[in-house]
Amino acid sequence: MRPPKIVSTYRTTNTSATGPTITPTSSFPDPLAEISCRFFKIGGCKNDDKCRFRHDAIAEEEKAHEFIPRQVGKDSCEPKSGQHSQDGPKAELTKATESNARDLGGALVRFGPGGNVISIEPAAASTGRLQMCNVSCSWYQPSKIATLEFTSSQSMEEAAQKLGQTKVLNRTLTCKTAVNKKAKPWQCYVKVGNLDVSTTSKTLKDACDRQARAVTFGESSYSSSSEAIAQAIQRLLSSKGNIESWTMSSSTKSAQIKVTATFSTMEQAAKAITEFNGYKLPQLGGSKILLSHLVKAKFSILSSMYSAISSELVNVQRSFRSNNYLEIKSYPSADKTHRFTALHIISDSAQEVGKAKASVEKILNGHTARGGKDLIWHDFFLKPEGMAYLNDLGKQHNVFIYRNARKCILSLYGNEEDRAIVESALSKTVDDLAVSSFNIVLNSKVPEAVHQAGYRKIIERLGKAAARINVMTSPKTITIHGSSDDADWAQAVLLEDSAQATDTRSHGQEHFACVVCWCDITEVYKTPCGHVYDRECFANQCLSAGDENIPIKCLSCQAVISFGELESALTRDQLDKLLERSFTRYIRTHPGSYQYCPTADCDQVYEVSDDAEIYTCSTCLTSICTKCGAIAHEGLTCDQHKSAQLGDVAFEEWKKKNGANDCPKCGSTIQKSEGCNHIECKACGAHICWVCKKSFGTGSETYGHMRAEHGSFYDPGYGDY
């Protein structure tokens, strides 16, 4: 997919000191009847019924809408001594009407003279965090043991090996062999544990090829139903806090039964885990119940972005399969458009969720499109046809292209090969778009009337749309949209007039010219300072205002245009566009006070703070750290989170220096200070050999392993016993 072809080239032409220079660059309806008359609002309009503006009957208390002077400092939008208050702007207004306020970025924003931002009231930061109110409770389904008798030790060993490698009724079995050498012939047995209570002799004999001479079963570990056990556990946990929801796993294939309890507060959940994890429940025949936090982290992303990165998210989940339980689930939004997709990272380990979050965040950061070292960008991408081009290009290569209009950045999402193809196409497109416009820089020493006369000749031939005067730059410029021949001709006209130094006013050709375009005025708009504009040109000045042109000022005398004047001169849509641009400019130029939500295409803002509070965006529900601007990183400082984003380099270095290792079962970091090489993980209860990092179910198994494999329980130099 290629954008519309625009042909011409960049070039620079220098002329004499008295002439112009060419350098490369990159109909309004009558609104008056829809605008309230500001004079009528404040007490009276001399035009009465002949006034072209609307006369509305308004309440007395709404008439006055002037702003009181502001004190620069803590409660002001303006910084004191060059610094902006972290408390945010709270400029006071007196009797301000709602016409000067807008709901932008999830905040109530008030505007003053020239469309300048004077106060921002962000939505209150919510206390949303990683969801730690959920408790996962599990217990093993009832099981039984069986003793299989064989006629030879060879048959016994073969059966034990086969049963140990085979799942029976979805259960992984434990096998131990025993030989009674006193009996004649020898009695050879395999004791099999963790059998489903429905296992039959035939099932076991089939599993070991009918080699067993006899099979004897033991009693079931307990007889209570799952429902009765769940009710007993629920009563137990309720003693530590209010349980808002109780969800029981419906799977019958797993060896464990799981229940999720959601407490009202994180503190209640923590108390329940501390008190009852490992509790021996009578209904389980004395077996333990296992409790742990079920931690959840939430993201909200564009559904089109999710489609491009879904395979990468699958790879993230796969990388955690050898450790604790962890899932990454997706949920499309409930609205008809399904614009957003919610991602939930769920685990019974906060550490695992933190690691998975860091991996997901790297993916969500995307790849910034660059041509060499330069960002790939052109204002063409801001236009509807530019956005359509980006969408088509992305769909063609299964890459999501996020256009960040605020920062002028394109971010790419998808696999690396497809991103490279799209990046190359975008680079070529920008090269093709670097054409078609020529700026003629006007000589400030030439009388303005001479330039006006030359400009009128240019638009008579090329048209107003093909020749635009920009009086807000210094020096002023005329932009020619067309061929290089058109630009050459326009430059020649201006050079000729400059050489002749013809002032049109000296020949009785006085024109009532617009301050913006220097042309005859179609519809007069006169500012309070007395200068005259064509109403369309004044609107264009406001709509094309850059950061340096806000607040809006009169181009002749630099007087700031009052908010009331802007209301009168612009349509509601035009005024809204100006105020949105002013708001975007303010947020961009005050990064220490406000930031946009990091979720792609979410325009909500939040207030920056030094306290690393958690703000949950009201639009996309993403939790954000208000200090560093990253997605919330529970349990980590901003610096630690930054290190995690860079690959946990600092943490890994610390582990090497301090002799710390990760538990081979749950991944928790353990630091050994002294003693023997038998370590018990406090997080999951695994027994670990510190020498080779193998894990075992009991301490005795660990000691047996260390003596057999390493010949000692201690490091060299400590001796043995």
Side-chain angles (χ1 to χ4, degrees), residues 105-125:
L108 181 64
V109 186
R110 291 188 173 88
F111 297 88
N116 216 14
V117 174
I118 61 171
S119 74
I120 299 177
E121 297 177 16

Side-chain angles (χ1 to χ4, degrees), residues 330-472:
S330 62
Y331 304 91
S333 56
D335 62 288
K336 293 181 179 179
T337 62
H338 300 305
R339 186 183 178 204
F340 286 99
T341 292
L343 293 180
H344 291 184
I345 303 175
I346 307 168
S347 176
D348 51 9
S349 166
Q351 198 171 41
E352 295 294 88
V353 170
K355 291 179 180 178
K357 274 187 63 181
S359 298
V360 171
E361 286 167 10
K362 287 181 182 178
I363 296 173
L364 297 183
N365 286 339
H367 170 77
T368 301
R370 293 180 180 274
K373 295 183 179 180
D374 298 326
L375 294 173
I376 295 177
W377 181 259
H378 193 281
D379 285 349
F380 166 71
F381 300 133
L382 295 173
K383 301 177 181 179
E385 57 268 31
M387 193 66 204
Y389 163 69
L390 294 177
N391 288 336
D392 289 343
L393 180 64
K395 289 177 181 177
Q396 182 180 346
H397 298 285
N398 196 30
V399 171
F400 174 71
I401 306 174
Y402 170 56
R403 180 197 69 181
N404 190 327
R406 297 189 295 264
K407 296 182 179 179
C408 299
I409 289 175
L410 297 177
S411 297
L412 310 181
Y413 298 84
N415 70 59
E416 189 173 356
E417 292 183 2
D418 291 337
R419 291 201 313 258
I421 295 172
V422 169
E423 194 169 37
S424 176
L426 288 170
S427 182
K428 188 169 189 318
T429 295
V430 170
D431 289 341
D432 290 343
L433 289 169
V435 292
S436 82
S437 298
F438 299 87
N439 260 3
I440 303 177
V441 181
L442 303 181
N443 191 331
S444 57
K445 296 180 180 180
V446 174
E448 189 171 277
V450 176
H451 290 325
Q452 291 177 359
Y455 180 62
R456 280 193 287 272
K457 294 178 183 177
I458 293 171
I459 62 172
E460 284 176 3
R461 172 171 170 174
L462 301 181
K464 199 171 183 179
R468 285 286 186 179
I469 181 73
N470 188 354
V471 294
M472 290 188 286

Side-chain angles (χ1 to χ4, degrees), residues 15 20 54 98 108 172 203 252 258 266 285 349 368 380 382 399 417 425 440 480 483 507 530 535 578 588 615 648 684:
T15 64
R54 190 175 72 241
E98 285 301 312
L108 181 64
T172 299
T203 305
T252 58
K258 291 187 177 182
M266 184 173 64
S349 166
T368 301
F380 166 71
L382 295 173
V399 171
E417 292 183 2
I440 303 177
I480 303 297
S483 66
H507 294 276
R535 186 174 293 276
L578 170 62
R588 185 170 59 249
Y615 171 84
D648 290 324
C684 67

Side-chain angles (χ1 to χ4, degrees), residues 72-74 76-85:
V72 177
K74 178 177 179 180
S76 168
C77 275
E78 298 301 324
K80 193 177 205 177
S81 301
Q83 298 295 325
H84 192 284
S85 166

